[in-house]
């Protein structure tokens, strides 16, 4: 079992940076692959990034590749999403998710636990 709490969202101007954190509770954090998803108003939730249990493999949506970086610190039970060169289209609620079983990184149904989300707003 794992509980996830996101933080670090806020209002940023286009071109700026923001770092999101996802703190997890539970004794087996390192057993979970982690992912970030986002949902804009009136839109469906979409995949942003994911990272393997050890952190050795990472995955990114084409829309954020080269601008966002995912990482994790298993000793701190935390996963991060560094967002650079932010654009207005990045505006959304960002969710952290954990997968207990191996799954295609971008597939939402494969994740067992979800955080409540943190708002990211990028102004032009």
């Amino acid at each position: 079992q794992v509980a996830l709490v996101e933080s670090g969202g806020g209002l940023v101007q286009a071109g700026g940076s923001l770092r999101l954190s996802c703190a997890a509770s539970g004794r087996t954090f390192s057993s979970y692959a982690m992912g970030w998803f986002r949902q804009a108003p009136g839109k469906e939730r979409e995949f942003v990034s994911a990272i393997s249990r050890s952190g050795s493999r990472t995955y990114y949506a084409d829309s954020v590749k080269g601008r966002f970086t995912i990482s994790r610190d298993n000793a701190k039970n935390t996963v991060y999403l560094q967002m650079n060169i932010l654009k207005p289209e990045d505006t959304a609620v960002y969710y952290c998710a954990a997968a207990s079983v191996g799954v295609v990184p971008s597939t939402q149904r494969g994740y067992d636990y979800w955080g409540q989300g943190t708002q990211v707003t990028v102004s032009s």
Side-chain angles (χ1 to χ4, degrees):
Q1 299 294 114
V2 59
L4 308 173
V5 180
E6 304 95 334
S7 63
L11 176 62
V12 187
Q13 291 186 336
S17 299
L18 207 60
R19 189 194 196 197
L20 304 184
S21 296
C22 175
S25 64
R27 298 179 175 84
T28 58
F29 177 74
S30 63
S31 297
Y32 297 86
M34 303 295 295
W36 285 98
F37 294 80
R38 67 187 182 186
Q39 186 169 26
K43 304 294 182 180
E44 293 187 354
R45 186 165 55 192
E46 65 177 2
F47 169 75
V48 176
S49 185
I51 189 168
S52 63
R53 290 176 291 178
S54 67
S56 62
R57 290 179 290 178
T58 58
Y59 309 85
Y60 299 92
D62 289 340
S63 60
V64 306
K65 194 170 297 182
R67 298 188 297 119
F68 291 11
T69 302
I70 189 171
S71 62
R72 69 189 296 163
D73 186 338
N74 288 346
K76 295 182 177 180
N77 279 19
T78 304
V79 62
Y80 306 94
L81 184 67
Q82 178 66 47
M83 306 184 292
N84 298 324
I85 319 176
L86 284 163
K87 305 174 181 180
E89 49 262 48
D90 292 320
T91 295
V93 174
Y94 283 70
Y95 298 90
C96 176
S100 60
V101 181
V103 65
V104 176
S106 62
T107 303
Q108 297 180 44
R109 67 174 67 93
Y111 292 83
D112 304 298
Y113 306 99
W114 295 80
Q116 294 188 172
T118 185
Q119 177 71 49
V120 171
T121 302
V122 184
S123 63
S124 58

